[in-house]
Amino acid sequence: MICFLIAFAAFGCTEVLQKGRDNWNQPLWRQLKGASWLFSSPDGFWRFANNDLELAEHLGHIQSSEPHAGKLPHQVLQWQHHDGSAWYNDRGIKVTTSPNDFEAFCRSEDAEEHSSLWLVAPRFPQLQGEYRKQETRKERGQPVWRQVSGEGWIFSTNKGRWFISDTEEGIANNRGVLASTTQHNGSAPYQIDQWQFLSQGSWQSDQTIFLTEKQAEAQRRVAEQQREAVKRTDRAPDKVWILCQPKPHLQGEYVKQPARIERGQAVWRQLGGNGILYSNGLGGFWCVATKEADVQKNLGLLQCSTPHYGRPPHEMESWQFADGNTWRVHKNVRGELKEPNGRPFTRLMRPSQIGYNRVMYGNV
Ligand SMILES: *[C@@H]1O[C@H](CO)[C@@H](O)[C@H](O)[C@H]1NC(C)=O
């Protein structure tokens, strides 16, 4: 955060003092306790030079985002900073003529130096929780936060969006699973209202993603989520049937596990088999695995083709199965642009719905 107080000669005040006019008849300010200048560049931007040399060359690291077209510096709404390679819009830069605003801004700047952020993202439980700012690290001119008890990272992309990735490589590659829906223009991640998640190669907006600098608010929301999860799990059907000819060992009756909640959803186990039907933590897909370890790793042999958005498994129209040697759901869901192998073919049915055999033969 940077704030500049500029003063006109008539106001007779403080930080930056007017020093007449430049060759283009634009006003020019000089820092009162320092060597910086605020000037109008030949191409019509307000720009801050660090010293006389930069001023002579019309150089600077902070400038108005657009040519000022006759507006004075304190009338400019958007500023940008240069990090050595590119310009970035930066809401943290303010120019004012009011000493009161200046002081208020300096105070709020201290308050806004949040070193921890909390993410609430019910579809990505492993990414939820506290993120701590990396004190010395900047990427693309912006700070980077790292998840305290997980693999998550919050960073700014080349195109100026906030991204949340589940690997550190995501930072270099501009890849992630959650993203701000617009460019941030220098707003901090917790000031972003609209988030989206990547689901099999396309971005889906998600009102349940919430990032805050207030721990209590995050905890309140997570507690609310847990209460909802208990209700949802109670409402879920006690039994569902899976029909899936390519994976015959996964077919049959699945029984809801009492009092078990995974990622906010019920879990069912196959009667007389190893199948576990659960909601994965990579966007909220119903998924069938055969080992508890795979449930934890978000792996499976079957899954619904779209996120369930809270709908129970038997209401999902389209499913897909792992084909070939392995199906790395994790990779596919995370945003390889390719669809996972598979085709819709599976139906899950409530016991009250029409006969098992008829549906099976009707769909295969
Ligand atoms: C950033 O600027 C763009 C273009 O002006 C705008 O569409 C977008 O909403 C802004 N983003 C935020 C977070 O305000």
Side-chain angles (χ1 to χ4, degrees):
M1 289 275 181
I2 311 169
C3 185
F4 298 96
L5 174 64
I6 57 166
F8 295 91
F11 296 2
C13 28
T14 49
E15 283 289 328
V16 183
L17 194 65
Q18 189 177 14
K19 276 281 189 184
R21 299 204 166 247
D22 66 12
N23 296 342
W24 291 271
N25 200 33
Q26 294 287 351
L28 196 64
W29 289 262
R30 178 171 196 150
Q31 193 179 10
L32 202 61
K33 294 178 196 141
S36 299
W37 293 88
L38 168 57
F39 66 101
S40 174
S41 67
D43 46 351
F45 290 79
W46 288 118
R47 193 171 288 162
F48 286 87
N50 285 323
N51 50 48
D52 293 5
L53 225 74
E54 284 190 2
L55 178 67
E57 303 270 330
H58 314 296
L59 297 176
H61 289 95
I62 292 173
Q63 69 174 17
S64 54
S65 294
E66 288 170 2
H68 55 66
K71 280 201 202 110
L72 286 162
H74 63 285
Q75 295 163 329
V76 168
L77 296 177
Q78 177 91 68
W79 293 82
Q80 49 185 207
H81 76 264
H82 200 276
D83 75 339
S85 54
W87 287 104
Y88 298 100
N89 285 343
D90 191 339
R91 288 255 169 88
I93 301 171
K94 301 256 193 275
V95 176
T96 176
T97 56
S98 148
N100 287 342
D101 286 357
F102 180 74
E103 268 169 34
F105 196 78
C106 294
R107 273 197 305 277
S108 75
E109 170 188 329
D110 294 339
E112 281 175 29
E113 275 301 309
H114 302 292
S115 56
S116 281
L117 300 178
W118 281 265
L119 176 68
V120 180
R123 273 182 247 290
F124 294 84
Q126 81 278 23
L127 288 175
Q128 289 198 134
E130 182 178 359
Y131 286 71
R132 209 163 281 158
K133 185 141 97 188
Q134 303 278 286
E135 281 314 326
T136 54
R137 184 165 182 181
K138 290 236 173 194
E139 294 290 343
R140 306 172 185 109
Q142 297 290 344
V144 174
W145 287 259
R146 180 180 193 168
Q147 192 179 7
V148 172
S149 55
E151 304 298 314
W153 294 82
I154 304 173
F155 63 96
S156 174
T157 61
N158 276 343
K159 292 187 178 161
R161 284 176 200 245
W162 289 116
F163 261 42
I164 301 169
S165 168
D166 59 359
T167 61
E168 190 173 1
E169 292 87 79
I171 300 175
N173 303 333
N174 290 287
R175 295 185 70 154
V177 279
L178 310 180
S180 58
T181 51
T182 63
Q183 294 179 316
H184 55 65
N185 311 321
S187 293
Y190 64 87
Q191 292 165 323
I192 302 290
D193 298 329
Q194 302 288 322
W195 293 88
Q196 53 191 359
F197 70 98
L198 192 60
S199 162
Q200 303 193 5
S202 70
W203 290 103
Q204 317 269 331
S205 87
D206 184 349
Q207 300 302 324
T208 64
I209 301 173
F210 175 73
L211 195 64
T212 178
E213 77 287 16
K214 300 187 186 86
Q215 181 174 18
E217 175 67 7
Q219 282 168 340
R220 193 186 63 73
R221 291 200 185 211
V222 168
E224 198 174 288
Q225 256 177 48
Q226 279 160 351
R227 281 193 298 277
E228 285 301 311
V230 170
K231 282 193 222 153
R232 196 181 307 117
T233 312
D234 284 347
R235 277 196 310 267
D238 291 329
K239 293 176 180 180
V240 290
W241 275 261
I242 293 185
L243 310 166
C244 170
Q245 211 179 41
K247 303 277 177 207
H249 64 291
L250 294 178
Q251 293 198 130
E253 181 176 344
Y254 283 67
V255 181
K256 185 165 77 175
Q257 301 228 271
R260 179 163 178 192
I261 302 177
E262 289 284 343
R263 298 158 190 133
Q265 302 288 344
V267 177
W268 292 261
R269 288 206 70 132
Q270 190 181 16
L271 209 61
N274 298 325
I276 308 164
L277 169 60
Y278 73 100
S279 173
N280 77 12
L282 297 166
F285 292 78
W286 292 115
C287 205
V288 181
T290 52
K291 288 189 289 237
E292 285 295 340
D294 289 351
V295 173
Q296 298 315 317
K297 285 188 250 161
N298 297 300
L299 297 172
L301 299 163
L302 287 184
Q303 84 169 33
C304 55
S305 305
T306 54
H308 55 62
Y309 293 111
R311 284 188 299 156
H314 62 280
E315 287 180 14
M316 305 308 297
E317 286 89 31
S318 163
W319 291 73
Q320 55 209 0
F321 66 100
D323 204 2
N325 32 7
T326 41
W327 179 25
R328 301 192 200 284
V329 175
H330 184 72
K331 275 258 172 359
N332 286 324
V333 173
R334 207 187 44 226
E336 303 298 327
L337 286 161
K338 156 167 95 52
E339 293 271 304
N341 289 331
R343 62 195 166 88
F345 69 98
T346 308
R347 276 266 184 280
L348 281 87
M349 300 291 294
R350 267 180 197 280
S352 59
Q353 281 175 297
I354 200 132
Y356 176 91
N357 288 337
R358 207 182 115 205
V359 174
M360 181 156 105
Y361 293 122
N363 280 281
V364 175

